[in-house]
Amino acid sequence: MITLWGEAAHPARGGGMAVNGFVLFLGAGLGSYAIELPGGLGGALGVVSGLYLAAGAIVYAACAMNQDR
């Protein structure tokens, strides 16, 4: 996985690996707290799914705005 991430971020490999490490440790650090959310594991998965959908919508909107230029 790390090799694939490095290849995908080829022009800026150092920055890509920094983002990879940040996301990895963010997930590892917050995972134990997510289980304590109301609803247990199901609630945690719902919250994470909502965050991913929101992030995807933001990225999609940013890409659409960038193509209009």
Side-chain angles (χ1 to χ4, degrees):
M1 187 69 180
I2 292 173
T3 303
L4 291 174
W5 190 274
E7 289 175 6
H10 177 65
R13 186 168 287 151
M17 296 310 294
V19 170
N20 180 37
F22 174 74
V23 169
L24 177 73
F25 288 114
L26 182 68
L30 295 178
S32 61
Y33 295 114
I35 300 300
E36 299 298 324
L37 291 172
L41 181 61
L45 290 176
V47 169
V48 170
S49 297
L51 290 173
Y52 275 125
L53 285 172
I58 291 169
V59 169
Y60 179 78
C63 288
M65 288 174 50
N66 194 20
Q67 287 181 351
D68 289 340
R69 290 184 187 184

